Amino acid sequence: MKKRILIVEDNRDFIVILRSMLKRIGDFKIFVAHDGIEGEVTCEAHIPDLVIMDMLMPAMNGIEATRIMRRHFPKLPIIMLTASDTRKNEEDSIAAGCNAFLKKPISLAQLREAICKFIPCSSRTATLALLQ
């Protein structure tokens, strides 16, 4: 059964990039939400195996969305992404319940490493992802 990944991101161009990267990492079922409110609803509807969350979004930011998701899904792995790489942002993300924090732009290797901490990756998939 395919692992389910929810992308919560408001930048449509970055969604395309993430989808492409995820296809190179593994065979996932991908769901997309464009802000924290939509992310929360999509998370409840599809119960993903992992969430990739943007920190700064309209309507509801990634910190608020993470706190809400944590109440309903305490063990759900959440990877926070942000272009604003400050120690405070990382601390706030971890305090909200994120399991990992990555600064944009991210490399395929960084994303793969973060995902494979929470979703089993085959060694063949891992090797292919790094070689491409």
Side-chain angles (χ1 to χ4, degrees):
M1 187 162 136
K2 289 184 181 182
K3 295 293 185 178
R4 298 172 311 275
I5 295 180
L6 170 59
I7 299 171
V8 185
E9 169 68 57
D10 62 321
N11 182 311
R12 293 186 191 279
D13 292 335
F14 195 66
I15 291 168
V16 171
I17 292 167
L18 279 173
R19 280 181 173 273
S20 174
M21 293 172 90
L22 288 170
K23 284 180 185 176
R24 292 174 71 183
I25 294 169
D27 187 22
F28 304 114
K29 174 79 173 153
I30 300 170
F31 301 93
V32 176
H34 298 97
D35 63 45
I37 295 170
E38 189 179 331
E40 177 191 358
V41 171
T42 304
C43 187
E44 298 245 354
H46 298 286
I47 310 175
D49 297 294
L50 181 130
V51 175
I52 299 172
M53 176 88 66
D54 184 32
M55 181 178 246
L56 302 174
M57 296 177 288
M60 180 189 293
N61 68 37
I63 298 289
E64 295 172 62
T66 297
R67 285 186 183 123
I68 291 170
M69 287 178 185
R70 269 292 157 249
R71 282 187 235 141
H72 302 286
F73 305 99
K75 295 183 180 188
L76 175 65
I78 301 174
I79 299 170
M80 185 69 76
L81 302 177
T82 185
S84 176
D85 183 26
T86 67
R87 184 74 182 144
K88 181 167 178 6
N89 284 342
E90 184 174 3
E91 290 169 356
D92 289 347
S93 296
I94 301 303
C98 289
N99 303 91
F101 180 87
L102 298 174
K103 182 192 180 305
K104 293 178 189 176
I106 58 173
S107 70
L108 180 63
Q110 288 172 314
L111 183 61
R112 184 205 148 294
E113 181 180 344
I115 288 172
C116 292
K117 286 180 183 175
F118 308 107
I119 295 177
C121 297
S122 72
S123 58
R124 183 177 183 277
T125 300
T127 303
L128 289 175
L130 290 174
L131 292 175
Q132 295 178 355

